Amino acid sequence: MGRLKNRIDYENLRNARILENQARLSSLGLQKTLSELRSLTSSAKAEKGRTQKRKHAKKVYEIADLRRSDRLKHIATDSLSALKSLPLRRSYRLRANSDEPTSPNKVIVVKGNTDYESEEESSDREKRPANAPFLNIKGVKLPSLSPEASARRCHSKGRGSIYDPFFGICCHFCRQKKLCGEEDCKRCGNLDPDEQCIGKTDCSVCHSTNGVFCRACLKVRYGEEMEEVRENKAWMCPHCIEEKGIKPFWICNSSLCLKKRKMGPTGLAIYRAREMGYESVAHLLMDELKRRNNLKSLQG
C-alpha cells in the first residue's frame, strides 16, 4: 500500500507541474508558436511523402559502340591481319628489339632462354652453375650498389640483407632472393654476373635450383658449413644424395619437397632437434623416418 500511495503522489505532482508549465507558456505567448512549428514540420513531411521517386533509366549498351577509345578505330573490324599485326604487349620491358631509346643508366635483364638468344649464349647458359645463373644484360652500363647498400649487405651473413630481383639468387629453402652477406663475393658485391655467388651452394651433379642454399639454411636444416661445401667440389644436394642412395633417409626438408611427399612442413624444428641432441633438422627427420620404416617392417 505504501508503494501505491507514493506512486499516486508522484503522478499528481507531475500533472500539476505540466499544467503549471502550460500556463506559463500561454502567458508568454509561446503556446501558439509551438503549434505553428509542429504544423510546419508535419506539412513538410507530408509533401516529402507525396514526391515521386526518380525512375532509373537503364542504358542499352547493345545499341551504342562499346569501344570508346580511339586507339583501334582506324583498323577495320573485318581485317584479321591488321589486328594480328598489333603487338599484344605495349610495354617495352620485355621486348627484344625495341625502338625505345636506352638511357646510359638503364639495364634490361632477361633470364633464361629466349627467342632471340644465340646458340653461343644458350650453350654458355647451360654450362653455368646454379649459384651463377645466366643473365643476358642488354644495356650500356652495369648497375652498382650504393655505399649505404654495400655497407648494409654484410649485416646478415646468414641470409643477406638486400633483396635484388636480378642479381639475387633464390635459396631453395627460405626462398629469399637476396644478395649474399659474404664480404669476398664479387657477384653480390660488384654485381658481376659472370662470377659465382660464394654465399650460395651449387650441386656438383644436377646444378639445379634444388641445390641452392644460403649459409643459414645450410647450417640449420642440414648441419653443414658453407666453407666446407665451398671446398668440396663433389658436394651434392639432398635430392641427388637420395637419388643415388648414398645416405638412406637423407631427404630435402624444404616445405615444397615435404608437401610432395605428403608430409607437413617442419617449421622451426631446429630447436626441438637441438634439444634432442641432433645436429640439424635433416638428422632429426632421418632418424624419425628410420623408426617409421622399422615399425612398418615389424608390423608387416
Side-chain angles (χ1 to χ4, degrees):
M1 293 296 292
R3 291 183 180 178
L4 182 60
K5 184 178 180 181
N6 292 334
R7 184 176 180 182
I8 293 172
D9 293 340
Y10 169 75
E11 292 293 337
N12 293 332
L13 289 172
R14 179 174 175 274
N15 292 330
R17 182 63 61 84
I18 290 172
L19 293 174
E20 183 181 352
N21 290 336
Q22 288 179 354
R24 189 177 299 169
L25 289 173
S26 60
S27 64
L28 295 174
L30 298 177
Q31 190 72 24
K32 186 178 180 181
T33 307
L34 288 174
S35 61
E36 289 177 355
L37 289 174
R38 287 171 183 168
S39 63
L40 288 174
T41 54
S42 60
S43 62
K45 288 181 180 179
E47 289 179 1
K48 187 177 180 181
R50 286 196 298 268
T51 56
Q52 295 181 355
K53 292 184 179 180
R54 186 176 61 180
K55 293 183 179 180
H56 176 69
K58 185 178 180 181
K59 287 186 179 181
V60 182
Y61 289 99
E62 287 80 3
I63 299 174
D65 189 8
L66 292 180
R67 177 173 289 279
R68 288 175 288 178
S69 173
D70 297 330
R71 186 171 60 88
L72 298 179
K73 282 187 177 180
H74 63 282
I75 298 175
T77 55
D78 56 346
S79 178
L80 295 177
S81 60
L83 288 174
K84 289 180 180 179
S85 64
L86 277 176
L88 295 178
R89 176 175 289 278
R90 285 174 284 171
S91 172
Y92 291 95
R93 184 170 59 89
L94 297 180
R95 287 192 190 179
N97 301 319
S98 66
D99 299 331
E100 185 188 24
T102 306
S103 61
N105 296 327
K106 183 167 183 179
V107 178
I108 302 174
V109 181
V110 181
K111 290 188 177 183
N113 194 6
T114 55
D115 296 336
Y116 59 93
E117 189 177 30
S118 63
E119 294 181 359
E120 183 180 355
E121 290 176 342
S122 179
S123 61
D124 183 43
R125 179 178 60 84
E126 293 174 357
K127 295 176 184 177
R128 299 176 74 92
N131 58 356
F134 176 73
L135 294 179
N136 188 7
I137 300 178
K138 301 290 182 181
V140 178
K141 183 180 179 181
L142 286 174
S144 60
L145 289 176
S146 62
E148 295 80 6
S150 299
R152 190 164 53 89
R153 183 180 68 86
C154 301
H155 284 178
S156 175
K157 194 173 182 180
R159 290 192 172 92
S161 303
I162 299 177
Y163 172 81
D164 193 292
F166 298 128
F167 290 93
I169 300 174
C170 186
C171 172
H172 177 63
F173 183 83
C174 64
R175 298 191 285 277
Q176 296 188 21
K177 202 171 187 180
K178 293 181 177 180
L179 301 177
C180 74
E182 306 291 332
E183 296 179 357
D184 301 332
C185 183
K186 295 181 180 179
R187 179 186 179 88
C188 298
N190 303 330
L191 299 183
D192 188 354
D194 296 327
E195 295 289 339
Q196 294 187 24
C197 176
I198 62 175
K200 299 290 194 307
T201 60
D202 174 52
C203 179
S204 61
V205 178
C206 64
H207 296 289
S208 67
T209 56
N210 291 334
V212 177
F213 297 98
C214 62
R215 176 184 286 272
C217 294
L218 185 69
K219 176 64 177 176
V220 171
R221 308 304 299 191
Y222 303 99
E224 300 183 68
E225 296 291 344
M226 182 62 70
E227 287 78 12
E228 297 176 359
V229 172
R230 205 181 297 157
E231 293 175 0
N232 185 11
K233 302 300 181 183
W235 181 82
M236 288 186 291
C237 66
H239 293 269
C240 294
I241 291 176
E242 182 186 7
E243 185 178 351
K244 293 182 178 295
I246 299 173
K247 191 185 293 186
F249 303 104
W250 184 264
I251 63 172
C252 179
N253 55 73
S254 68
S255 60
L256 297 174
C257 298
L258 289 178
K259 286 179 181 178
K260 290 179 182 178
R261 296 174 178 271
K262 304 295 178 64
M263 297 173 63
T266 57
L268 299 175
I270 183 61
Y271 300 108
R272 183 165 62 93
R274 287 175 178 172
E275 287 177 0
M276 297 174 66
Y278 293 100
E279 188 178 355
S280 67
V281 179
H283 292 85
L284 172 64
L285 284 178
M286 182 172 64
D287 200 6
E288 289 182 355
L289 291 175
K290 283 181 181 178
R291 287 200 300 269
R292 291 180 189 177
N293 187 48
N294 293 334
L295 287 174
K296 286 182 180 179
S297 60
L298 291 174
Q299 292 175 358

